[in-house]
Amino acid sequence: MEINDVIEEAKARGLRFPLLIRFQDILRNRVESHQPGVRNSIAEFNFQGSYRGVFPIKVNQLREVVEEILDAGKPFSFGWRWGASRSCSPGWALQNRWAA
């Protein structure tokens, strides 16, 4: 889908600008497309440790964003990092749901 088509559709619906347009599949794609490079580097350099990618929840606290990244990363043991501050409370809310 072309972004211009999205903009024209928004105008036709009478939506006001600026708009926030989210592309959920981009998040999933970034998590999934990162993994082959990680696996190749682990093999190439004979890395003997373990790798676990993490999403710093403080970067974006929207529940939908956190859930999408964690869901996409689950097959790769992808996790999240959060602190004890109120800005990180979505991590606590999702703790039991995503515990491995």
Side-chain angles (χ1 to χ4, degrees), residues 22 27 55 60 62-70:
R22 291 195 5 216
L27 298 174
F55 171 70
N60 190 326
L62 285 173
R63 183 181 186 113
E64 296 86 0
V65 170
V66 174
E67 287 179 337
E68 182 70 17
I69 290 172
L70 294 177

Side-chain angles (χ1 to χ4, degrees), residues 19 43 52 54 58 65 67 78-79 82 85 88:
L19 292 176
R52 181 177 179 132
V54 295
K58 195 167 187 174
V65 170
E67 287 179 337
F78 200 89
W82 77 89
S85 70
C88 298

